[in-house]
Amino acid sequence: MNKAMLKKTAVASMAVLTLAGGATSAFADGKGKGNDHKDNDDRKSGYSQKKDKDEYNINVNFKDEEELKWALEYIVRLASKGVFTGYEDGTFKPNKVITRIEAITAAVRLMGLKEQAESAEEMATDLNFKDAAELKKKYPWAVGYVAVALEKDLFAETDTSIQAEKPATRLFAATLLIKALGLEAEAKAKVNTSLNFRDAKNIPAASVGYVALAVEKGLITGYNDNTFRPNQPVTRAELAALLDRTDEQMPDDDQDAQAISGKLKAAAADGKITIVKSDNSETTVALASNVFIFRNNVKASVSSLAAGDEIIVRTYGGSAVFIEVTKSAESTVADASYAGKLKADVSNKSITLVKADNSEIVIPLASNAYIFRNNVKVAASALVAGDEIVVQASGGQAVFIEVTKTAVQQPADKTYNGTLKATVSGDSLTLVKADKSEIAIPIDANAYIFRNNAKVAASALVAGDQITVSVANGKAVFVEVTKTFEQQPVEATYTGKLKAAVSNNSITVIKADNTEVAIPLSSNAYIFRNNVKVAASALVAGDELLVRTYQGKAVFVEVTKIYAPQVVTQTGKLNSVTLGSDGKIKTISITQEISGGTQALVLNVASNVAIIGDSAKLVAGATVELKVTDSAVTSIEVKA
């Protein structure tokens, strides 16, 4: 067996040991022969260590798949190679912690030294560790592994105990993997590297090079808060990620035929797929009934596979058990409506939509596209990855986008600026950024909050305050009000649009920056509209105003521009309507004939819409005439 194949086999053996229940499945009988121990049911793995690879039992679907989360891809990819199957009850148990003896044994196997470690000579070694007798009593099968680990410098010179049952930490695992890969000299050469982690001081000086090299090789990464957490125990899920990345560092063997790469010739048919390889040769592979498919980094259905997708297929027993789409095929944008989730923030004047079947489509944005988020017209930059959207395409471009459900953004560790959406309730605040997108930020219990240069409680913040928020570990730790919202109007002049008809003897003005101010009306206020003195009730929502205040009340109001509703008529064939929770029509979609072609139009419907004609004939295909006032349908007339 050549060196590459030896290492590939070693990786598989290591993962079998550590991921399929660790030592308790491979060595539960104390002899290392892989017999499940009948008195340890909760640790059975269901994976038999047999010499013939064809007898391995492949399973890529786990009952606790929801718990695997971020590690799902790593775990399934290893499982698809026949590396492990999880526990006998069909679970993987990703959050179980790996012990030091499991990690040491895994490292020795990674080096291809399993046979040596299990030899009579190594098993008879008289170890000099303080807890050697305890190891021999509890884990007699592990004596040879520890002996070989010593010979290969996997222990530090200062180690006096094995500490077999102690959890393996991130630092311990990273160091072992670097040593097992034979990169110790390279790691030592980096001993004076300056690590960029916030907790770098917690990493022993002699271990800095190992961490630096493991990060450089992509074997391990830090956390979102820029910490490494060297002393944190490693879980089975985390080790799966380490193993998967370590496997990429192993030399490839040209004879390894378990993976097939290429382009999908056509969508799956008759339970088979055809792959066009780089040399233009084709191969057809049957799909296993439980085939696991990753597309766009999520589990997907067979129907999501599209002709032209670039894929990696792993087979077992002649059938595909794992398919990963490494690059999605380009989609053609038709003049139609699309629904799905926005894959990423908008870039290059296009959006990428992930549809319900997990397939993707890239849609260019028309320069004059109408985009609505939170019922407000916004720029494309206000769209947020994860927003659920409806897109109307025309001429191969998105001309209308409506966010039907906003994404919940996870605050990154940085500084945010914007306007406080509402008074703080609970332990979080909602910030409206300049692009009108929103982000909800939890507030740290020890957060420092300043308003008017005084430290205050979060409850003292006022909706409309302009604030700067510093986030660490996903929570607001510092909040400063850079400009307070004017709760009570001062003796000043205000300009803006009237938000609504006058009520309770006050008016609400929407200023140019979209902040609002409520202003009580003086009983003897002078109000002018059309250059005529009028009562407050004559003011109309949408009027542009100039308001002068005195002693906190409006004493002079002038309508500088009268609100004139924009009324247009739209005629077409009814496609569909959507209803709100109150049973009233919320939106209406019609198809119009324009310049010899057809175009779909989706419009919001006013709550007091009037339906003219026989409402029973308001069905798909009926000709309707819509009166649209300020972008909302105010009447629907059924023509036929």
Side-chain angles (χ1 to χ4, degrees):
M1 181 181 293
N2 62 31
K3 184 179 178 181
M5 284 300 290
L6 179 64
K7 285 200 171 184
K8 291 282 186 183
T9 303
V11 172
S13 300
M14 173 175 68
V16 169
L17 167 67
T18 55
L19 294 178
T24 52
S25 76
F27 303 99
D29 62 355
K31 299 176 183 178
K33 294 182 180 179
N35 298 327
D36 287 330
H37 198 293
K38 302 304 180 186
D39 296 329
N40 203 2
D41 291 338
D42 65 326
R43 297 296 300 273
K44 291 178 188 175
S45 71
Y47 192 111
S48 297
Q49 280 191 299
K50 299 180 181 180
K51 292 182 180 180
D52 184 352
K53 186 174 80 171
D54 290 339
E55 294 184 39
Y56 285 149
N57 185 23
I58 296 288
N59 175 38
V60 291
N61 293 273
F62 301 104
K63 289 181 179 178
D64 53 353
E65 184 178 300
E66 287 297 318
E67 296 179 34
L68 307 187
K69 297 180 180 175
W70 63 269
L72 179 62
E73 185 170 357
Y74 302 121
I75 293 165
V76 173
R77 189 165 21 241
L78 287 172
S80 71
K81 300 174 187 178
V83 171
F84 63 85
T85 61
Y87 288 80
E88 194 172 66
D89 63 0
T91 63
F92 180 78
K93 302 179 183 176
N95 298 318
K96 276 184 173 285
V97 170
I98 296 294
T99 65
R100 283 167 61 99
I101 194 61
E102 289 173 329
I104 291 168
T105 305
V108 171
R109 290 192 168 196
L110 174 63
M111 299 172 76
L113 301 173
K114 175 181 181 292
E115 187 175 344
Q116 179 183 339
E118 295 181 5
S119 67
E121 180 181 356
E122 297 290 359
M123 291 281 285
T125 302
D126 189 9
L127 300 170
N128 290 320
F129 289 107
K130 290 179 180 179
D131 53 356
E134 182 181 353
L135 176 78
K136 192 169 185 179
K137 180 179 179 181
K138 288 188 175 182
Y139 308 105
W141 53 266
V143 172
Y145 282 95
V146 173
V148 171
L150 272 171
E151 295 165 17
K152 299 301 177 181
D153 293 326
L154 299 190
F155 282 94
E157 288 83 350
T158 55
D159 286 338
T160 58
S161 300
I162 304 163
Q163 303 178 77
E165 296 177 338
K166 183 178 179 180
T169 63
R170 282 167 53 81
L171 177 61
F172 184 85
T175 302
L176 272 178
L177 288 176
I178 289 296
K179 288 183 175 181
L181 287 169
L183 301 174
E184 187 169 9
E186 192 175 339
K188 287 183 176 179
K190 294 180 178 290
V191 70
N192 292 317
T193 299
S194 178
L195 295 173
N196 194 35
F197 298 112
R198 290 198 296 119
D199 57 350
K201 64 181 182 299
N202 297 332
I203 300 172
S207 299
V208 167
Y210 291 95
V211 173
L213 187 57
V215 171
E216 180 183 309
K217 292 285 185 182
L219 302 183
I220 197 166
T221 60
Y223 288 88
N224 289 337
D225 62 355
N226 196 32
T227 59
F228 182 75
R229 306 180 195 177
N231 300 316
Q232 180 169 295
V234 175
T235 65
R236 286 162 55 80
E238 290 170 328
L239 188 59
L242 286 171
L243 289 174
D244 188 61
R245 294 165 187 159
T246 303
D247 191 29
E248 294 176 1
Q249 303 292 326
M250 295 291 147
D252 282 331
D253 187 280
D254 294 337
Q255 304 304 315
D256 184 359
Q258 289 188 351
I260 305 170
S261 299
K263 282 191 176 182
L264 189 63
K265 185 176 182 180
D270 300 323
K272 297 178 182 179
I273 58 172
T274 299
I275 305 143
V276 181
K277 296 188 284 186
S278 58
D279 62 1
N280 287 322
S281 63
E282 298 182 5
T283 181
T284 299
V285 182
L287 299 176
S289 59
N290 63 341
V291 62
F292 202 107
I293 298 170
F294 266 108
R295 197 172 198 277
N296 303 324
N297 297 317
V298 296
K299 185 181 180 183
S301 62
V302 173
S303 61
S304 74
L305 296 174
D309 281 345
E310 294 183 18
I311 59 177
I312 291 177
V313 180
R314 299 194 182 276
T315 63
Y316 176 74
S319 297
V321 294
F322 176 83
I323 300 173
E324 181 177 6
V325 178
T326 56
K327 185 178 180 182
S328 298
E330 293 184 2
S331 301
T332 301
V333 180
D335 290 353
S337 292
Y338 298 88
K341 282 190 177 182
L342 189 65
K343 183 179 182 181
D345 295 347
V346 176
S347 63
N348 299 323
K349 297 182 179 179
S350 68
I351 60 171
T352 301
L353 188 71
V354 181
K355 296 187 285 185
D357 62 1
N358 286 316
S359 62
E360 295 182 9
I361 183 169
V362 178
I363 309 175
L365 281 171
S367 59
N368 59 346
Y370 283 88
I371 303 172
F372 289 87
R373 193 174 194 274
N374 290 326
N375 297 316
V376 177
K377 187 176 183 295
V378 297
S381 57
L383 296 174
V384 175
D387 278 347
E388 294 184 16
I389 59 178
V390 171
V391 181
Q392 181 65 49
S394 177
Q397 294 184 318
V399 295
F400 177 85
I401 299 174
E402 181 176 8
V403 178
T404 55
K405 185 177 180 182
T406 55
V408 178
Q409 289 180 274
Q410 298 299 318
D413 290 354
K414 63 178 185 179
T415 299
Y416 297 87
N417 295 293
T419 303
L420 187 66
K421 183 178 182 181
T423 305
V424 175
S425 62
D427 297 320
S428 70
L429 59 86
T430 300
L431 186 73
V432 181
K433 295 187 286 184
D435 62 6
K436 296 188 175 63
S437 63
E438 299 179 7
I439 184 169
I441 308 175
I443 301 174
D444 188 87
N446 298 314
Y448 285 88
I449 302 172
F450 289 87
R451 193 175 195 274
N452 290 326
N453 298 316
K455 188 174 184 293
V456 297
S459 57
L461 296 174
V462 175
D465 279 348
Q466 292 180 23
I467 59 177
T468 293
V469 183
S470 294
V471 175
N473 297 323
K475 292 187 176 182
V477 294
F478 179 82
V479 180
E480 181 179 11
V481 178
T482 55
K483 185 177 180 181
T484 57
F485 177 67
E486 298 158 338
Q487 288 177 280
Q488 298 298 324
V490 296
E491 295 179 16
T493 300
Y494 298 88
T495 58
K497 286 187 177 181
L498 185 65
K499 183 179 181 180
V502 175
S503 63
N504 298 323
N505 291 319
S506 72
I507 58 174
T508 299
V509 177
I510 304 173
K511 296 187 291 181
D513 61 1
N514 285 318
T515 59
E516 299 178 7
V517 59
I519 309 174
L521 283 169
S522 171
S523 58
N524 60 348
Y526 285 88
I527 302 173
F528 288 86
R529 193 173 193 271
N530 263 344
N531 297 316
V532 176
K533 187 175 183 293
V534 297
S537 58
L539 296 175
V540 175
D543 280 347
E544 294 186 16
L545 309 177
L546 181 149
V547 182
R548 299 189 187 280
T549 63
Y550 176 72
Q551 294 184 347
K553 293 186 177 182
V555 294
F556 178 85
V557 179
E558 181 180 7
V559 178
T560 57
K561 186 176 180 180
I562 293 174
Y563 167 69
Q566 299 296 314
V567 180
V568 296
T569 300
Q570 300 284 359
T571 302
K573 297 287 187 179
L574 178 64
N575 287 333
S576 62
V577 298
T578 62
L579 303 179
S581 58
D582 56 1
K584 294 181 179 180
I585 299 175
K586 183 179 180 183
T587 65
I588 186 169
S589 172
I590 64 173
T591 299
Q592 298 175 311
E593 292 187 4
I594 299 176
S595 301
T598 60
Q599 175 179 299
L601 181 65
V602 181
L603 294 167
N604 291 323
V605 177
S607 59
N608 61 342
V609 63
I611 298 178
I612 304 169
D614 188 352
S615 59
K617 294 182 179 180
L618 190 61
V619 295
T623 299
V624 294
E625 183 178 283
L626 310 179
K627 295 291 185 184
V628 185
T629 305
D630 290 342
S631 301
V633 176
T634 53
S635 75
I636 303 172
E637 182 175 356
V638 183
K639 291 290 187 179

